[in-house]
Amino acid sequence: WGRIFQSKTAFTPLVRHIFNKHQLPYAKITNLTPGTNAVFRAGEYVIKLFAPEESGIDQSLDLHTELFALKHANHLGIAAPKLVAEGMIYDQYRFAYMITEYIEGQSLSTVLQTMTADEKKTVAMKLRQLTDQLNQPCSNFNHIDVIADEGRYRRWQIYSDSFRIERLAYLHAHDFGEKVFAHGDLCGDNILLTPDGKLYLIDFADAVLAPLIYEHALVAVELFELDPPLLEGYFGNFKVTDLIEMCFNGLLIHDFGGDIVKQHLGRPESIVSLDDLKARIRHKIESSRK
């Protein structure tokens, strides 16, 4: 699967057949950002073909999650691609697929590099309006427990035994608040800025029901890299102590938390305790404001 999932030659006949099935205009396919699945642009549409079970990759949960999440976002009127078609096609292998509209725009990670402080504050305010629409209570659509599911601890395995034991005890003892629908991966590549200045959210494969800090911590540390104008636009007149606590708790429960800490806050082997982690977050925030 890893050798062929980006092959336009291999997938063109299958994509053309699916488009004909749904009476959609077919256009020559082009590659989009690679991931686990085969994703192509075809004219005004994007088609995602999920890895078949024969590949050894179980995509059933991802498929259910992404379809529910995108339909949910469309129902709420969130600025996200419209789901156009979905289904299962039986070729040599069985492929689940979904077709959405293509959104023309630049990734937020790209445009932030050239924005002024005022522009950053404005775009962060727009993003907060968008996520406030999204981060509302809903049913536990994929039955994932972001705190209790030990399968989601794998990114912390490279940290010391003492740190992991302390983290686990803290998770069991702490109340992280009401759970809401979260996109789960609001990185720069999953937020598009269109030519008319509108933000769109894409790729809902990591959507989950989680405490609000799950979404906010990733936005603050990973997307914004604790940049003050972006933080001010998104969180308003926040207290630094509140921001530290939110980032600390949100990273501890996030599926990507271990990776984010490693990338932005220090080598895993150097982080000896939860107090150490919190001190590093405090130092990073205070340094960015000088």
Side-chain angles (χ1 to χ4, degrees):
W1 180 251
R3 291 193 301 271
I4 60 95
F5 79 109
Q6 295 182 68
S7 171
K8 293 179 287 185
T9 302
F11 281 98
T12 289
L14 183 59
V15 172
R16 180 182 285 114
H17 175 77
I18 293 171
F19 271 63
N20 288 338
K21 173 185 174 183
H22 291 283
Q23 298 182 330
L24 294 172
Y26 173 78
K28 184 178 180 180
I29 63 174
T30 57
N31 291 108
L32 294 175
T33 303
T36 303
N37 301 298
V39 185
F40 304 99
R41 178 184 177 183
E44 298 303 310
Y45 302 98
V46 173
I47 181 166
K48 176 181 284 192
L49 296 120
F50 289 81
E53 61 183 30
E54 292 87 353
S55 69
I57 304 171
D58 183 3
Q59 289 293 83
S60 55
L61 181 60
D62 286 355
L63 172 64
H64 171 78
T65 295
E66 191 156 10
L67 285 174
F68 176 92
L70 193 52
K71 290 176 182 177
H72 184 67
N74 290 169
H75 175 73
L76 292 176
I78 300 296
K82 298 293 188 297
L83 181 64
V84 177
E86 60 171 294
M88 188 80 69
I89 197 76
Y90 296 86
D91 189 42
Q92 184 176 354
Y93 306 105
R94 187 174 69 164
F95 290 98
Y97 63 86
M98 55 187 290
I99 301 173
T100 64
E101 63 176 338
Y102 174 76
I103 304 298
E104 186 70 55
Q106 288 184 287
S107 69
L108 190 57
S109 57
T110 298
V111 297
L112 284 178
Q113 296 176 19
T114 58
M115 282 186 168
T116 65
D118 286 343
E119 289 170 336
K120 288 179 178 179
K121 183 175 178 180
T122 298
V123 80
M125 291 173 65
K126 289 183 179 180
L127 181 61
R128 182 57 187 265
Q129 292 171 355
L130 191 53
T131 56
D132 279 352
Q133 285 181 268
L134 190 67
N135 297 149
Q136 300 295 327
C138 78
S139 61
N140 193 350
F141 51 93
N142 53 15
H143 304 290
I144 290 174
D145 187 325
V146 298
I147 297 168
D149 287 354
E150 294 187 9
R152 299 173 69 83
Y153 297 171
R154 63 191 183 279
R155 291 181 173 87
W156 296 100
Q157 294 305 313
I158 56 177
Y159 291 76
S160 69
D161 290 345
S162 60
F163 180 90
R164 289 188 287 111
I165 290 170
E166 188 181 5
R167 172 181 173 270
L168 192 58
Y170 183 82
L171 295 189
H172 290 161
H174 196 78
D175 180 5
F176 295 95
E178 179 187 29
K179 293 181 178 179
V180 297
F181 182 93
H183 178 281
D185 190 16
L186 288 178
C187 63
D189 289 339
N190 289 337
I191 305 167
L192 299 180
L193 183 65
T194 63
D196 63 356
K198 188 174 182 179
L199 291 178
Y200 275 81
L201 307 184
I202 64 172
D203 194 351
F204 286 76
D206 292 296
V208 72
L209 196 68
L212 185 60
I213 56 172
Y214 187 94
E215 194 94 284
H216 284 179
L218 188 142
V219 167
V221 182
E222 173 72 3
L223 175 63
F224 292 167
E225 297 184 353
L226 300 174
D227 187 356
L230 292 169
L231 293 176
E232 184 180 349
Y234 193 85
F235 295 105
N237 295 321
F238 60 88
K239 293 181 180 178
V240 171
T241 53
D242 291 341
L243 182 66
I244 293 168
E245 198 70 17
M246 182 273 294
C247 291
F248 174 73
N249 286 319
L251 292 180
L252 285 179
I253 65 173
H254 203 288
D255 190 23
F256 306 148
D259 286 350
I260 295 170
V261 169
K262 178 177 67 174
Q263 181 178 353
H264 296 280
L265 297 167
R267 301 188 316 276
E269 64 271 19
S270 71
I271 300 176
V272 298
S273 66
L274 294 188
D275 284 344
D276 182 15
L277 175 59
K278 186 177 288 188
R280 289 167 184 258
I281 294 172
R282 179 183 297 108
H283 175 73
K284 189 88 169 181
I285 292 172
E286 291 175 347
S287 298
S288 70
R289 291 166 62 85
K290 291 179 181 179

